[in-house]
Short mmCIF file of all heavy atoms in Angstrom, two decimals:
data_model
loop_
_atom_site.label_atom_id
_atom_site.label_comp_id
_atom_site.label_asym_id
_atom_site.label_seq_id
_atom_site.Cartn_x
_atom_site.Cartn_y
_atom_site.Cartn_z
N GLY A 55 -82.97 19.78 82.21
CA GLY A 55 -82.43 20.22 83.52
C GLY A 55 -80.91 19.85 83.81
O GLY A 55 -80.52 20.25 84.89
N LEU A 56 -80.29 19.12 82.89
CA LEU A 56 -78.89 18.84 83.12
C LEU A 56 -78.06 20.15 82.92
O LEU A 56 -78.35 20.90 82.03
CB LEU A 56 -78.56 17.77 82.02
CG LEU A 56 -78.81 16.34 82.28
CD1 LEU A 56 -80.34 16.08 82.36
CD2 LEU A 56 -78.21 15.43 81.32
N THR A 57 -77.01 20.22 83.64
CA THR A 57 -76.19 21.42 83.68
C THR A 57 -74.75 21.13 83.40
O THR A 57 -74.28 20.00 83.75
CB THR A 57 -76.27 22.26 84.94
OG1 THR A 57 -75.84 21.37 86.07
CG2 THR A 57 -77.65 22.69 85.29
N THR A 58 -74.05 22.03 82.75
CA THR A 58 -72.58 21.91 82.53
C THR A 58 -72.04 23.41 82.81
O THR A 58 -72.77 24.41 82.56
CB THR A 58 -72.30 21.62 80.99
OG1 THR A 58 -72.84 22.50 80.10
CG2 THR A 58 -72.73 20.14 80.80
N TYR A 59 -70.73 23.43 83.17
CA TYR A 59 -70.04 24.68 83.59
C TYR A 59 -68.65 24.84 82.95
O TYR A 59 -68.03 23.77 82.81
CB TYR A 59 -69.95 24.81 85.03
CG TYR A 59 -71.32 24.93 85.76
CD1 TYR A 59 -71.95 23.70 86.27
CD2 TYR A 59 -72.08 26.14 85.93
CE1 TYR A 59 -73.13 23.79 86.84
CE2 TYR A 59 -73.23 26.15 86.61
CZ TYR A 59 -73.81 24.90 87.00
OH TYR A 59 -75.09 25.12 87.71
N ALA A 60 -68.31 25.99 82.72
CA ALA A 60 -67.02 26.24 82.32
C ALA A 60 -66.03 25.91 83.50
O ALA A 60 -66.39 26.14 84.65
CB ALA A 60 -66.77 27.71 81.88
N GLY A 61 -64.89 25.31 83.27
CA GLY A 61 -63.99 25.08 84.31
C GLY A 61 -63.68 26.19 85.29
O GLY A 61 -63.54 26.06 86.50
N SER A 62 -63.59 27.47 84.68
CA SER A 62 -63.22 28.47 85.41
C SER A 62 -64.27 29.03 86.43
O SER A 62 -63.98 29.83 87.39
CB SER A 62 -62.92 29.72 84.57
OG SER A 62 -64.02 30.07 83.73
N VAL A 63 -65.63 28.59 86.29
CA VAL A 63 -66.63 28.90 87.25
C VAL A 63 -67.32 27.87 87.95
O VAL A 63 -68.05 28.07 88.85
CB VAL A 63 -67.72 29.67 86.42
CG1 VAL A 63 -67.07 30.81 85.61
CG2 VAL A 63 -68.57 28.81 85.55
N LYS A 64 -66.79 26.63 87.63
CA LYS A 64 -67.36 25.48 88.29
C LYS A 64 -67.24 25.46 89.77
O LYS A 64 -66.04 25.78 90.27
CB LYS A 64 -66.81 24.16 87.78
CG LYS A 64 -67.65 22.90 88.17
CD LYS A 64 -67.03 21.59 87.50
CE LYS A 64 -67.72 20.43 87.89
NZ LYS A 64 -69.17 20.49 87.67
N GLY A 65 -68.27 25.33 90.56
CA GLY A 65 -68.14 25.32 92.00
C GLY A 65 -68.51 26.72 92.55
O GLY A 65 -68.73 26.93 93.71
N ARG A 66 -68.50 27.76 91.76
CA ARG A 66 -68.82 29.13 92.12
C ARG A 66 -70.18 29.62 91.54
O ARG A 66 -70.89 30.32 92.13
CB ARG A 66 -67.64 30.07 91.74
CG ARG A 66 -66.34 29.73 92.26
CD ARG A 66 -65.29 30.78 92.01
NE ARG A 66 -65.00 30.94 90.53
CZ ARG A 66 -65.38 32.08 89.83
NH1 ARG A 66 -65.72 33.21 90.49
NH2 ARG A 66 -64.96 32.19 88.54
N PHE A 67 -70.48 29.21 90.26
CA PHE A 67 -71.73 29.64 89.73
C PHE A 67 -72.70 28.52 89.58
O PHE A 67 -72.29 27.38 89.56
CB PHE A 67 -71.40 29.98 88.18
CG PHE A 67 -70.66 31.29 88.09
CD1 PHE A 67 -69.97 31.91 89.10
CD2 PHE A 67 -70.37 31.86 86.84
CE1 PHE A 67 -69.34 33.06 89.03
CE2 PHE A 67 -69.69 33.11 86.67
CZ PHE A 67 -69.04 33.62 87.80
N THR A 68 -74.03 28.89 89.64
CA THR A 68 -74.89 27.84 89.48
C THR A 68 -76.08 28.40 88.60
O THR A 68 -76.63 29.51 88.74
CB THR A 68 -75.76 27.57 90.86
OG1 THR A 68 -74.71 27.04 91.84
CG2 THR A 68 -76.78 26.57 90.75
N ILE A 69 -76.43 27.59 87.52
CA ILE A 69 -77.47 27.92 86.55
C ILE A 69 -78.78 27.27 86.89
O ILE A 69 -78.71 25.96 87.37
CB ILE A 69 -77.05 27.60 85.13
CG1 ILE A 69 -78.17 28.19 84.12
CG2 ILE A 69 -76.82 26.21 84.93
CD1 ILE A 69 -77.62 28.04 82.71
N SER A 70 -79.87 27.90 86.81
CA SER A 70 -81.22 27.23 87.05
C SER A 70 -82.17 27.85 86.27
O SER A 70 -82.04 29.04 85.81
CB SER A 70 -81.53 27.40 88.59
OG SER A 70 -81.59 28.66 88.99
N LYS A 71 -83.41 27.11 86.16
CA LYS A 71 -84.43 27.78 85.38
C LYS A 71 -85.83 27.37 85.95
O LYS A 71 -85.99 26.52 86.70
CB LYS A 71 -84.43 27.30 83.95
CG LYS A 71 -84.59 25.75 83.70
CD LYS A 71 -84.64 25.45 82.18
CE LYS A 71 -84.85 23.97 81.98
NZ LYS A 71 -85.00 23.65 80.55
N ASP A 72 -86.80 28.07 85.59
CA ASP A 72 -88.21 27.84 86.00
C ASP A 72 -88.91 27.80 84.70
O ASP A 72 -89.33 28.90 84.13
CB ASP A 72 -88.77 28.88 86.94
CG ASP A 72 -90.11 28.62 87.42
OD1 ASP A 72 -90.92 27.89 86.69
OD2 ASP A 72 -90.42 29.07 88.63
N ASN A 73 -89.22 26.68 84.20
CA ASN A 73 -89.94 26.52 82.92
C ASN A 73 -91.38 27.17 82.93
O ASN A 73 -91.83 27.70 81.97
CB ASN A 73 -90.12 25.01 82.55
CG ASN A 73 -88.83 24.39 82.09
OD1 ASN A 73 -87.99 25.09 81.63
ND2 ASN A 73 -88.78 23.07 82.23
#
Side-chain angles (χ1 to χ4, degrees):
L56 281 65
T57 60
T58 58
Y59 298 89
S62 60
V63 308
K64 190 173 181 62
R66 299 188 297 122
F67 292 9
T68 302
I69 186 172
S70 62
K71 66 174 181 176
D72 185 329
N73 288 337

